[in-house]
Amino acid sequence: MKKLLLCFFVITFCNACTKKKKSPLVGKWKLTHVLVDPGNGKGAFQKVNQKKVIEFFDDGTLKTNVSYCPLDDDKTIGMSGTYNMNHTLLIMPCTSSGSKINFEINESILIIDYPTQCMEPCKEKYTKID
């Protein structure tokens, strides 16, 4: 019985000490490139020098230093939102239903896609800064 209890204690202790795997999205990301497409589908990412930053948190929330809502008059006001890694989706509170923005992440590159906000492809590329 003592061996069984000891075994149970060791297994419980080991499971409690394992770190949860942190999402690769968690941290600060800075805008570095914007996709410029003249409407023919042959657009390319162009380097930009902006201070647009998104910070993602472990709890599925995010904060930005600018607005991501297409109809906002003042784009310099930051905002909060949520993200879902399973559906690669950012949700911003732009309207009552929210504005849904797709994303993809590849190592230290984050690409945000605005599928409903532009007639041509509309994407931004971010690099992790923290």
Side-chain angles (χ1 to χ4, degrees):
M1 182 69 171
K2 286 182 182 182
K3 287 182 181 180
L4 183 62
L5 285 173
L6 179 63
C7 185
F8 176 75
F9 174 75
V10 169
I11 290 172
T12 304
F13 181 76
C14 289
N15 284 338
C17 292
T18 39
K19 286 185 175 181
K20 289 183 179 178
K21 188 176 180 184
K22 190 167 138 177
S23 166
L25 200 55
V26 172
K28 286 185 180 181
W29 297 81
K30 183 177 189 235
L31 177 65
T32 57
H33 295 80
V34 174
L35 181 67
V36 178
D37 191 329
N40 63 4
K42 297 182 181 188
F45 279 101
Q46 303 291 322
K47 191 170 184 157
V48 293
N49 188 17
Q50 294 183 15
K51 295 181 179 170
K52 196 172 187 180
V53 175
I54 306 174
E55 185 171 8
F56 296 90
F57 301 95
D58 279 326
D59 65 356
T61 61
L62 62 95
K63 286 188 179 182
T64 69
N65 65 339
V66 297
S67 175
Y68 281 76
C69 298
L71 301 177
D72 279 357
D73 292 331
D74 188 357
K75 295 282 188 192
T76 63
I77 298 175
M79 64 188 317
S80 298
T82 60
Y83 68 92
N84 185 322
M85 285 299 293
N86 295 332
H87 297 104
T88 59
L89 191 65
L90 308 178
I91 301 173
M92 302 297 194
C94 297
T95 63
S96 59
S97 63
S99 179
K100 296 178 180 179
I101 302 168
N102 299 321
F103 72 89
E104 60 185 88
I105 186 167
N106 186 357
E107 295 179 23
S108 62
I109 302 294
L110 169 68
I111 297 177
I112 293 181
D113 180 13
Y114 302 92
T116 60
Q117 296 179 10
C118 303
M119 295 192 67
E120 297 86 26
C122 219
K123 296 183 180 193
E124 296 177 332
K125 190 183 287 188
Y126 292 75
T127 56
K128 200 163 195 176
I129 57 174
D130 182 24

